[in-house]
Amino acid sequence: MVKQPIITVKNLVKNYGDFAAVKGISFEVYDGEIFGLLGPNGAGKTTTLEIIETLREKTSGEVTVDGLSIENDADKIKQRIGVQLQAAGYYPNLNLSELIKLFCGLYGIDKTPAEMLEKVALTDKAKSKYKDLSGGQKQRFSIATTLINNPKIIFLDEPTTGLDPQARRNLWDLIREIRDSGTTVVITTHYMDEAEELCDRVAFVDGGHIVGIDTPNHFIDQLVATGFERKKQVKLANLEDVFINLTGKEWREG
Ligand code: ATP
């Protein structure tokens, strides 16, 4: 299958005053993949995402999203993408059902809260307020809000930070379902195990540069081919596996 780029970034530069946060990066995201931007704090991941989302001005370079230029077609791009809001964006006195109705109204889209909440396994929380949800439920709800306008691409900035192992795995399943239903997913994460498990391709960002871009398996195979060996013998399971095994992996959050 030929891979079609849905996002193209060429020589993107972002300076904040004298400080260069993004130093001429180029990459493509393919239609239908889960693409991960990985790297340490301050690498420039969020800045890059926000420029692609048309929420932040670039200094120079070219970015197209679904064939549209961020300079000329920002409004059209906004209609075709889904972006997670910061938690502060959710009115505290509305329940989930009311919040979804509000978003549908803003987008002018005719969807029922029930169908959106079902997609993210929050049907039984329809009458709960956002602030009363667990960390994993909050993330699932915020992903539901990104899907309201039937986006071609959704952007998830560190969606699993601070979640417990079960909630993380549930979120991975949800993100895979979204990809399998045809939506491209661009995600940032600090968790390398997550990127390895979830992402079809990853780009490592460091100090405003892309230092590598490939599939996780290819990256690992190439490293192993150089004769690299881990210092410690690799165990067949880890403590997280023990935790999941002891506590189960069903949808269950306190
Ligand atoms: P993190 O993983 O911590 O979110 P990141 O890779 O997303 O990091 P960015 O948030 O893109 O990194 O920040 C890149 C660099 O740009 C950092 O050094 C940050 O301090 C700086 N920066 C980000 N936003 C601004 C701003 N509005 N003004 C000045 N500097 C900024």
Side-chain angles (χ1 to χ4, degrees):
M1 200 180 75
V2 182
K3 290 173 178 147
Q4 294 290 343
I6 194 162
I7 298 173
T8 309
V9 175
K10 277 191 202 146
N11 302 321
L12 180 66
V13 172
K14 176 66 184 179
N15 299 329
Y16 295 110
D18 294 342
F19 176 71
V22 177
K23 299 175 183 159
I25 62 173
S26 301
F27 63 95
E28 288 178 335
V29 176
Y30 300 143
D31 193 7
E33 73 176 347
I34 301 176
F35 182 86
L37 277 177
L38 317 182
N41 292 124
K45 305 179 297 293
T46 303
T47 299
T48 303
L49 280 197
E50 289 181 352
I51 292 169
I52 299 171
E53 293 161 0
T54 76
L55 300 177
R56 201 177 276 263
E57 296 272 320
K58 66 183 165 62
T59 302
S60 63
E62 274 173 52
V63 179
T64 59
V65 179
D66 200 22
L68 301 166
S69 134
I70 55 166
E71 269 156 313
N72 306 324
D73 296 310
D75 287 344
K76 280 192 194 147
I77 290 174
K78 284 195 184 87
Q79 287 168 10
R80 297 183 193 192
I81 65 172
V83 176
Q84 283 183 296
L85 265 190
Q86 300 301 315
Y90 301 118
Y91 291 91
N93 292 320
L94 299 184
N95 66 37
L96 300 193
S97 194
E98 291 163 337
L99 282 169
I100 298 267
K101 264 191 220 149
L102 179 73
F103 281 105
C104 289
L106 291 175
Y107 285 121
I109 287 188
D110 191 19
K111 286 228 172 88
T112 63
E115 85 178 275
M116 296 315 297
L117 293 176
E118 207 221 316
K119 275 186 205 280
V120 296
L122 285 176
T123 304
D124 58 338
K125 295 284 171 187
K127 298 278 176 264
S128 303
K129 293 187 176 157
Y130 177 83
K131 67 175 168 54
D132 297 329
L133 301 178
S134 73
Q137 290 165 345
K138 281 183 175 147
Q139 281 298 335
R140 297 212 302 277
F141 178 72
S142 113
I143 289 176
T145 66
T146 71
L147 296 173
I148 288 174
N149 58 334
N150 293 320
K152 288 189 140 186
I153 310 165
I154 62 168
F155 294 88
L156 307 175
D157 201 354
E158 296 182 25
T160 64
T161 296
L163 300 187
D164 70 56
Q166 281 146 338
R168 263 174 88 205
R169 285 170 195 223
N170 288 333
L171 214 67
W172 296 350
D173 287 343
L174 174 62
I175 293 169
R176 285 192 200 100
E177 277 169 29
I178 292 170
R179 188 260 326 263
D180 293 344
S181 72
T183 305
T184 305
V185 180
V186 181
I187 181 170
T188 69
T189 180
H190 294 293
Y191 300 120
M192 297 301 142
D193 61 328
E194 170 164 298
E196 191 177 330
E197 175 92 11
L198 189 61
C199 295
D200 297 305
R201 289 190 313 134
V202 297
F204 288 101
V205 189
D206 190 26
H209 292 287
I210 288 190
V211 294
I213 179 161
D214 211 331
T215 64
N217 280 342
H218 199 225
F219 265 130
I220 292 166
D221 290 348
Q222 277 186 320
L223 180 62
V224 171
T226 65
F228 175 90
E229 270 179 60
R230 278 203 187 157
K231 291 277 182 295
K232 274 193 202 160
Q233 200 202 333
V234 179
K235 292 180 184 166
L236 293 176
N238 63 20
L239 208 52
E240 184 165 306
D241 297 320
V242 175
F243 173 83
I244 297 281
N245 195 256
L246 288 172
T247 59
K249 191 194 171 278
E250 68 275 23
W251 296 87
R252 178 189 60 125
E253 285 147 88

